[in-house]
Amino acid sequence: MNAPRPDRRALSGAARVYAVQALFQMEAANQSATLVAREFQNWRIGVDYEEGTTPDADEALFTSILNGVVDRQARIDQMTDRALVAKWPIARIDPVLRALFRAAGAELVAGTTPPRVVISEYVGVADAFFPEGRETRFVNAVLDHMAREAHPEAF
């Protein structure tokens, strides 16, 4: 009997959530991407615990997002700053939102995922972190601006 095929969308979604968590941890604990990625791959992604199993993830996407942020953080942060109002540069926003904008920015800059998909996926990630909804509308607006800058031809 064949094992069920993993749901690619679920694996990608989990990779994005883990990437936001990892980027938050890198900033909060001042840890390197290599150290945090190893911790997530060994202790968080698809790991069995007494309480249950953490979700599997597309580890290649997870790694790609982290590396993309590390390699292009200045460009991503500048795109984010241009999408934010002048009085709220990226350094002043919530650290979870900052991690989310950086992860989404890495995917937008890489250009391997259609911009509208990136926006939709990260609005979903924002909803997971901020279920009250106010932040999700903000994330949608900022990512739309970033996507239009990165890929004007797609709009």
Side-chain angles (χ1 to χ4, degrees):
M1 207 165 136
N2 293 337
R5 291 182 53 190
D7 178 351
R8 286 185 44 209
R9 185 162 186 208
L11 294 174
S12 296
R16 290 177 174 107
V17 170
Y18 285 130
V20 170
Q21 292 172 331
L23 290 166
F24 175 87
Q25 180 176 326
M26 285 167 55
E27 182 178 343
N30 196 29
Q31 294 176 324
S32 72
T34 303
L35 179 70
V36 172
R38 191 175 321 120
E39 177 183 327
F40 271 73
Q41 290 162 337
N42 291 335
W43 300 104
R44 298 197 186 182
I45 298 173
V47 177
D48 293 321
Y49 292 103
E50 283 183 26
E51 301 82 24
T53 301
T54 60
D56 279 327
D58 179 339
E59 291 191 40
L61 177 60
F62 170 78
T63 302
S64 173
I65 293 168
L66 290 187
N67 291 339
V69 171
V70 170
D71 293 344
R72 297 178 195 92
Q73 184 172 330
R75 178 178 177 195
I76 294 164
D77 285 357
Q78 289 167 359
M79 283 175 46
T80 307
D81 277 341
R82 286 189 289 273
L84 296 168
V85 293
K87 295 182 193 251
W88 290 101
I90 192 167
R92 289 187 62 191
I93 64 172
D94 179 278
V96 173
L97 287 175
R98 190 167 40 250
L100 186 146
F101 291 140
R102 286 176 175 157
E107 286 199 66
L108 289 169
V109 170
T112 55
T113 303
R116 292 181 195 276
V117 172
V118 173
I119 294 168
S120 176
E121 290 295 314
Y122 282 97
V123 165
V125 171
D127 192 46
F129 284 107
F130 303 100
E132 53 279 349
R134 192 177 76 235
E135 288 85 353
T136 57
R137 291 187 297 278
F138 174 64
V139 165
N140 188 56
V142 170
L143 293 181
D144 182 70
H145 188 281
M146 291 172 67
R148 288 174 189 275
E149 178 180 330
H151 300 283
E153 73 285 353
F155 293 90

